[in-house]
Amino acid sequence: MLLAFDTSSAAVTVALADAVSGEIVASSTTVDALRHGELLAPAIADALATAGITARDLTGIAVGVGPGPFTGLRVGLVTARTMADVLGIEIFGVCSLDVVARQSSLTLPVAVATDARRKEIYWAVYDGPAADGSRRRLEGPAVDRPADVAHVLSGLPVIGRGAVLYAEALGLDSVDVVEYPSAEVLAHGVATGTLDVVAPEPLYLRRPDVTMSAGPKSVLPK
């Protein structure tokens, strides 16, 4: 059984899936930007109870690695690493923007914009979906003020919480309803191999006075 969760946004989202088929057997999502540490462990316990299993029945853990505000992101990554170490199971990191992109039902290329706080967005651009539903990331992830990248995202459907918050600055006429990463999509994508797996390291923005750049500021770890 594969446990998946993401705490890179205001949502704490958890899911359990069959590790081969990706079939979801339990899931929950709670939106509360200030209570990641309080909400994650009970949500995992509830998912295990719903599925009628214990942590010892897990064969792997999938975790969203961001980009996202570091406090919430750290809760998920520390939990995933600790559980994987104690249980002796594999851990799979996935870019949280990739998860949001997979949630779009559009058959066109899309952009994802999530809330980076400080009036900025984390963003990335994706190709149209392949036959298996996977999307190839074409640009990003990066972090910028919405108005500074509006020309980059122009003409693309933009999904994610950042698109909702900054629709006007991004020049959007309409916004897809997808706002936060889904642990169900994360679990299914890892189980079926349709999401790219990365090291379980946080994707977060370095302090502006440390990282100087004339262009988009990368959130990828050095």
Side-chain angles (χ1 to χ4, degrees), residues 119-194:
K119 297 183 179 180
E120 294 182 324
I121 57 170
Y122 297 115
W123 63 273
V125 176
Y126 296 83
D127 205 349
D132 60 4
S134 62
R135 287 182 182 267
R136 181 167 56 99
R137 194 184 330 133
L138 302 176
E139 189 171 356
V143 60
D144 283 284
R145 292 185 179 276
D148 292 343
V149 291
H151 67 288
V152 178
L153 308 185
S154 177
L156 292 171
V158 185
I159 60 177
R161 181 61 180 167
V164 174
L165 292 174
Y166 303 109
E168 183 176 354
L170 290 169
L172 304 177
D173 295 325
S174 61
V175 177
D176 195 295
V177 295
V178 175
E179 292 191 47
Y180 304 109
S182 163
E184 291 190 6
V185 173
L186 171 59
H188 184 271
V190 170
T192 59
T194 53

Side-chain angles (χ1 to χ4, degrees), residues 65-67 81 141 198-206 218-222:
V65 301
R81 287 174 173 173
V198 298
E201 301 290 340
L203 298 179
Y204 64 92
L205 176 64
R206 296 188 180 191
S218 175
V219 295
L220 291 171
K222 302 297 182 183

